[in-house]
Amino acid sequence: MQKLFKRRFQTLLTSLKTMVYRISRRQVLFMLIIFANLVLIAFLNIMTHVGLSQHNKGLIRSRYKAEADLSPISTDEAMGSRVIHLKESASLSVKGVGGIGFTYTSPRSLGLTNPNVSQYALRNDDIAVGDIIKLFITARDENGRLRTSGGDYFTVVITQESQNASTTAEIIDHSNGTYTAYAYAGWAGKSSITVTLVNPSDAIYYLRYNYTLLSHRAGFVGIFQRNNVTERTNCYIQHEGSWSKKCEYFHPYNLFSTRLLCDAPPTLPCDALTILPRSDDTNALNMPRVPEDKQYLFTDKRRYQKLSKGPQVVDVKGIEGQSSLPVLEKCYNTYKSFSFPDGFWMKGRYLHLTCDNSKWFHLEDTIKCLTNKHLLLLGDSQLRLWIRKIRTLLGIEVVVDKYTHAISTSKPEINFNVTFQFHPFFRHPDEGYSLVSDHRYETQILDEVDRSHCNYIVVFGPWAHYALWTPGAYRERLEFLRDGVLKFMKRCPNAVVILKGPQPTKTTTNFFDYVCKTMMDMQMEVFDGIGIKFMNVWDMIESAYWYSDPHPPDDVINVQFQQLLSYSCK
């Protein structure tokens, strides 16, 4: 048997050699190209499958219901817009035009998405506590015509004021004028549905591809002082490009391709820059005016408008006051938020759907967590609010440095210290808060920490004051920060490092929320996989319906501080 097999194998090998000898080099090359293309196609198919699989996992990793699997939308709801278009076109006169396709016999118009005409509807009935609430949104123009593309910025908030309960929804854009929103039914009873058009797609397109790419939006007033002489010039942030005869300021490990440029003062040298307040051409939220020819995109009737055509109430079955939470791992072991939404409010508490932070009800647990710790808060006024919580909780006083405006406090009994420092290039109108000496990079502070112990909890939050930077400038800022964090973590591997993400402003500013959401996406991309914890507070703030101010009230700060403790201690 073995001899027969060997003889047949030798015959086959001889035949193959004969075939190879008869094939020309050009044919061999052609066959190799075909083989390479087949391998490439197979590889792309595999990667596409893996990518879609990971995308779907990223959307449903909340672990609370298998029915939250979003895979059906690719075949059913994603095609819904085309079906609607066909149905609506049936009543119009449509004719074929050769191989191009079809046309309406009369000219038509397609306007901006109109909140008074757009619609939404519930996609599932018989909803119980712990289920997923599904809404289907159709964007229409003022004439009722369905939009043919996506890109609108919608939000969905579900509230029940009797239980102080609320949540937001994850919205999937099908890129054809339709959207599906998914919200977690965390409590029982009837709840109000609020669907809001924040910005129409045309406004988002302009912001993404035009406005945010413009330099010179982050304006400052450069105040130069020396020998009782004071001179003022205009300053701005510039990413790459070219310039002539400017005072330029950079840092090789924090600000290099991006530079602060100032018009040269009449007599003083560039190193006489002393104070850097924000310029007067911005409003209270540091956002400059929209150019006149684009202001129609951001009028009051087109931004932050509620949709009225749709169900105002959703009824979730269950016992009144009952809530539902999945079994979650402790937040200490969690590095990134994947679930949608991040959680929901219930009776003054924010119940997370990403990880379990339910431990911090007793002061003893908090003190145990903070004992022998040094908390570094490196950010803006959002992080500074945490100082107030710490001061009240531990009954300690704070010290404010009159020159750098850094805040420090401590509780020697438990060897606990707190330091707050503004990040560089914070935009404040008060010259007293804008000394150049105040601007210290986070990496510089981390390099100077006491290396004899590494019981640090580091929280940084660079976002609101960088909303006027171009995406390229902001990315460079984040990448330098990431490199500094990696260097610090190498020296102090047991330190806890937390990136606190952006949040909605809770105001009807023209486009601040959209810009901040893109900044959050960039943060998660740049810092992904390096072992830090991402504190996602977007859904928490967006669903907090009871206040409207850029700075959260105490009840929201309390929840954020609990999340800090959950990330920091087992």
Side-chain angles (χ1 to χ4, degrees), residues 498-516:
I498 301 170
L499 170 60
K500 181 178 178 289
Q503 65 188 49
T505 61
K506 307 293 287 186
T507 65
T508 55
T509 310
N510 283 335
F511 46 81
F512 198 80
D513 286 356
Y514 166 75
V515 174
C516 291

Side-chain angles (χ1 to χ4, degrees), residues 148-159:
T148 58
S149 60
D152 297 302
Y153 183 3
F154 287 104
T155 63
V156 175
V157 177
I158 299 175
T159 59

Side-chain angles (χ1 to χ4, degrees), residues 61-78:
R61 202 172 294 183
S62 49
R63 298 181 297 277
Y64 42 75
K65 278 290 181 180
E67 66 197 66
D69 189 347
L70 303 186
S71 56
I73 66 173
S74 61
T75 56
D76 297 334
E77 293 172 349

Side-chain angles (χ1 to χ4, degrees), residues 519-531:
M519 295 171 73
M520 180 172 66
D521 293 339
M522 189 179 295
Q523 285 182 358
M524 297 182 72
E525 178 184 345
V526 171
F527 288 92
D528 185 31
I530 71 169

